[in-house]
C-alpha cells in the first residue's frame, strides 16, 4: 500500500524528479521533496487558496492534486516569479508597493492566481478583480490593499507590454 | 491532514477502467477533478484502498450537441463549460449555475459529472440539471445503463450508482432557445446554502412549459412540481408568482445545519423561487400586464 512511485515533472522550467507515495499531494512534493517552501499550505481542503500554483499554465489547488497527477506536467510556483537576479516580478512589485500583504501567508497563492487572471483579463474592473480572488482567503482581511495591488499590477504589466511592443 | 494510504490506478482505456472499478467496487473511488473527493480523503472522513484516476481517458472530454441533447463527458471541467460557446448557447441555465461554483481555481479542475456524483444536497449543478431534465450514462463491466436526473440523487451525498459503475457522461435535454432561465442562490463565502433553478417557456404570454428545482431544502435537490403544474397555463405576473411560491417547502423536511436553520432555508427558498421564476419569465419575453 505504501509503494513509492517515480514522478518526473518540470518545476519552474527545471526538470525534477521525486519518489512519492500516491497519497502525497503536489503541495507536499513541492515543499518537502523539492524544498520549494514558497507554496504555503493552509487548510488542506481546497478552501483557502494559499497553495495555488499553476499546472500547465492553469491555476490549481496543490493540496487537492496528488503529486502523481503532475507527472510530465509543467508546474509554476511563486519561486518562478522573481528574476534570476532576485529582481521582483511586476506583480510582486505591485503587492509590495500597495501593501497587498500583511502576514504574507496567503500571498504566494494570490500572486499565482493574479498571474493567471491578468493573463486572461489584462485590464480588469475592481468587480472583476474581487470576483477573481474569491478563492483566496486573507486572514489579515487586507482585501482592499490586495485589490489595489492587482489593479496596480495590471497597469505595470500593460506598460511593460507597451514597452516591448515599441 | 493527509489521506490514508491507497493504491493509485491510471487506466488508459475504458475497458481497463471498467475492469478496475469492478475489481475494486467495494473500496475504490473514481478520481476526476478531485475537488470534492480529495478534501474528504485529506480529512479522513473517507478512506479508500484504491483511487482510480480517469484523467488519462481522453474520450471523456467531449462536449457535443446531438439534436435536443447536450452531451458533456465526465472529464469536462466546470471552467471549460463556462467558456464553451456550445454549452452557453445550448444550456445557459447550467452555465449560470456553474458560475456560482466555488472559485475559478476550483472550477479549473472540478467537473460537472463530479458534482453530480458527489451529490451535495445544496449543489448548484445538480439543481440546474434536474430543472433541465435528462440523465447520466453509466457504464459497468456487465452492461451500460442510463439514470434520469430525477432518479439519480437518492440522499445526501448518495446516488443511484451501484458498486463498480462509472458515470461517463451527462446528457442534458435541451430547452428551446426562446425559453427563459434563471439560477439564483444565497450562499456563504462561496458555499451554497439555498438555490433555485427555473426554466419558463411562453406561448402568447401564457406559460406553456416550466420547471423549477430547489437545492439546499431537502436531502436531495427537488423539483417543485406543485408550482410547475399551477404555473402552466397562466399569465406569469409578479403577483401570481408570489402567490405560487408561498409555502414552497411546506411538504419538505428542510434540514438545519451550520449554514442555516430549517426556518431560514424555507424563507430563503420562497424568495429565491420567486426571483428565479420572475427572471426566467422576463427572459422568456413576458409582457407586463
Amino acid at each position: 500500500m505504501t509503494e513509492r512511485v517515480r514522478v518526473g515533472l518540470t518545476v519552474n522550467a527545471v526538470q525534477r524528479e521525486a519518489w512519492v507515495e500516491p497519497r502525497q499531494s503536489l503541495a507536499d512534493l513541492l515543499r518537502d521533496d523539492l524544498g520549494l517552501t514558497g507554496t504555503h499550505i493552509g487548510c488542506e481542503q481546497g478552501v483557502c487558496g494559499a497553495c495555488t500554483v499553476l499546472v500547465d499554465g492553469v491555476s490549481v489547488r496543490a493540496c487537492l492534486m496528488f503529486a502523481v497527477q503532475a507527472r510530465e506536467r509543467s508546474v509554476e510556483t511563486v519561486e518562478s516569479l522573481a528574476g534570476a537576479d532576485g529582481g521582483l516580478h511586476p506583480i510582486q512589485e505591485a503587492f509590495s508597493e500597495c501593501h497587498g500583504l500583511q502576514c504574507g501567508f496567503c500571498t504566494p497563492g494570490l500572486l499565482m492566481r493574479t498571474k493567471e487572471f491578468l493573463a486572461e483579463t489584462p485590464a480588469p474592473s475592481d468587480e472583476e478583480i474581487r470576483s477573481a480572488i474569491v478563492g483566496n482567503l486573507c486572514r489579515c482581511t487586507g482585501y482592499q490593499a490586495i485589490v489595489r495591488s492587482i489593479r496596480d499590477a495590471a497597469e505595470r504589466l500593460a506598460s511593460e507590454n507597451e514597452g516591448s511592443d515599441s | 491532514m493527509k489521506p490514508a494510504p491507497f493504491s493509485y490506478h491510471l487506466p488508459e482505456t475504458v475497458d481497463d477502467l471498467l475492469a478496475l472499478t469492478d475489481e475494486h467496487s467495494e473500496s475504490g473511488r473514481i478520481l476526476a477533478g478531485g475537488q470534492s473527493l480529495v478534501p474528504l480523503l485529506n480529512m479522513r472522513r473517507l478512506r479508500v484502498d484504491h483511487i482510480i484516476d480517469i484523467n488519462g481517458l481522453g474520450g471523456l472530454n467531449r462536449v457535443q450537441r446531438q439534436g435536443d441533447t447536450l452531451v458533456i463527458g465526465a472529464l469536462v471541467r466546470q471552467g471549460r463549460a463556462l467558456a464553451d460557446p456550445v454549452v452557453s448557447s445550448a444550456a445557459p441555465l447550467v452555465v449560470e449555475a456553474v458560475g456560482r461554483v466555488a472559485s475559478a481555481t476550483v472550477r479549473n479542475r472540478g467537473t460537472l459529472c463530479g458534482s453530480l456524483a458527489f451529490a451535495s444536497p445544496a449543489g448548484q449543478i445538480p439543481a440546474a440539471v434536474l430543472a433541465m431534465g435528462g440523465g447520466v450514462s453509466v457504464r459497468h463491466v456487465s452492461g451500460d445503463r442510463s439514470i434520469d436526473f430525477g432518479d439519480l440523487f437518492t440522499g445526501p451525498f448518495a446516488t443511484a450508482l451501484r458498486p463498480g459503475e462509472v458515470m461517463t457522461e451527462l446528457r442534458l435535454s435541451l430547452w428551446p432557445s426562446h425559453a427563459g432561465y434563471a439560477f439564483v442562490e444565497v450562499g456563504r463565502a462561496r458555499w451554497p446554502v439555498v438555490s433555485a433553478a427555473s426554466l419558463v417557456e411562453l406561448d402568447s404570454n401564457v406559460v406553456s412549459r416550466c420547471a423549477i428545482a430547489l437545492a439546499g431544502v431537502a436531502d436531495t435537490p427537488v423539483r417543485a412540481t406543485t408550482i410547475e403544474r399551477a404555473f402552466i397555463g397562466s399569465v406569469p405576473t409578479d403577483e401570481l408568482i408570489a402567490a405560487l411560491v408561498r409555502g414552497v417547502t411546506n411538504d419538505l423536511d428542510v434540514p438545519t445545519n451550520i449554514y442555516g436553520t430549517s426556518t431560514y432555508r424555507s424563507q430563503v427558498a420562497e424568495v429565491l423561487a420567486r426571483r428565479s421564476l420572475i427572471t426566467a419569465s422576463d427572459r422568456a419575453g413576458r409582457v407586463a400586464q
Side-chain angles (χ1 to χ4, degrees), chain A residues 88-115:
Chain A
L88 294 183
H89 186 278
I91 297 173
Q92 292 172 307
E93 282 177 358
F95 271 70
S96 173
E97 287 200 19
C98 301
H99 304 287
L101 62 152
Q102 292 171 62
C103 83
F105 199 87
C106 67
T107 311
L110 272 162
L111 294 176
M112 298 316 286
R113 171 64 186 135
T114 299
K115 185 180 181 193

Side-chain angles (χ1 to χ4, degrees), chain B:
Chain B
M1 297 172 295
K2 314 291 176 190
F6 55 75
S7 295
Y8 173 80
H9 308 271
L10 184 67
E12 287 174 4
T13 67
V14 171
D15 285 345
D16 290 348
L17 166 68
L18 296 180
L20 282 164
T21 54
D22 185 48
E23 184 185 352
H24 305 299
S25 59
E26 297 304 324
S27 63
R29 281 289 177 120
I30 300 287
L31 173 62
Q35 304 300 291
S36 302
L37 175 64
V38 182
L40 292 178
L41 295 172
N42 285 358
M43 290 184 276
R44 300 209 183 186
R45 285 168 64 184
L46 182 69
R47 292 174 83 120
V48 297
D49 294 332
H50 298 274
I51 286 291
I52 301 163
D53 185 349
I54 60 171
N55 285 279
L57 295 163
L60 302 182
N61 266 316
R62 70 174 176 155
V63 170
Q64 193 174 44
R65 187 169 176 161
Q66 300 172 341
D68 291 336
T69 302
L70 181 68
V71 181
I72 297 179
L75 277 177
V76 175
R77 316 280 170 189
Q78 292 151 1
R80 177 174 157 209
L82 276 185
D84 190 315
V86 174
V87 185
S88 22
S89 68
L93 175 70
V94 171
V95 171
E96 202 158 77
V98 171
R100 300 293 311 175
V101 173
S103 62
T105 303
V106 167
R107 295 191 299 260
N108 280 343
R109 297 287 299 166
T111 62
L112 286 92
C113 283
S115 295
L116 302 186
F118 184 53
S120 164
Q124 297 99 336
I125 297 171
V129 301
L130 184 63
M132 286 192 70
V136 296
S137 303
V138 170
R139 301 199 60 178
H140 185 267
V141 70
S142 66
D144 305 337
R145 64 179 179 131
S146 303
I147 306 174
D148 279 358
F149 294 132
D151 299 320
L152 179 63
F153 308 107
T154 55
F157 308 101
T159 68
L161 266 76
R162 300 181 193 122
E165 285 186 331
V166 188
M167 188 189 299
T168 52
E169 60 190 22
L170 68 88
R171 305 176 69 86
L172 287 170
S173 300
L174 300 182
W175 288 55
S177 57
H178 61 260
Y181 63 92
F183 183 90
V184 293
E185 174 191 83
V186 165
R188 295 267 169 82
R190 305 298 280 185
W191 196 262
V193 179
V194 179
S195 57
S198 288
L199 288 155
V200 174
E201 241 185 286
L202 297 179
D203 183 2
S204 310
N205 213 35
V206 170
V207 178
S208 57
R209 187 181 168 211
C210 72
I212 175 166
L214 301 171
V217 293
D219 279 354
T220 65
V222 289
R223 284 275 289 265
T225 48
T226 312
I227 294 180
E228 293 173 1
R229 278 194 298 270
F231 201 33
I232 291 169
S234 61
V235 176
T237 62
D238 286 3
E239 294 72 23
L240 173 79
I241 291 170
L244 281 180
V245 301
R246 210 159 288 144
V248 60
T249 59
N250 280 358
D251 296 333
L252 299 172
D253 187 11
V254 183
T256 288
N257 67 18
I258 56 165
Y259 296 107
T261 62
S262 173
T263 310
Y264 172 78
R265 286 169 189 273
S266 299
Q267 289 175 357
V268 170
E270 215 172 280
V271 172
L272 295 181
R274 190 183 76 229
R275 287 182 190 163
S276 71
L277 286 171
I278 287 175
T279 302
S281 300
D282 283 342
R283 288 173 173 171
R286 72 169 174 169
V287 181
Q289 297 291 301

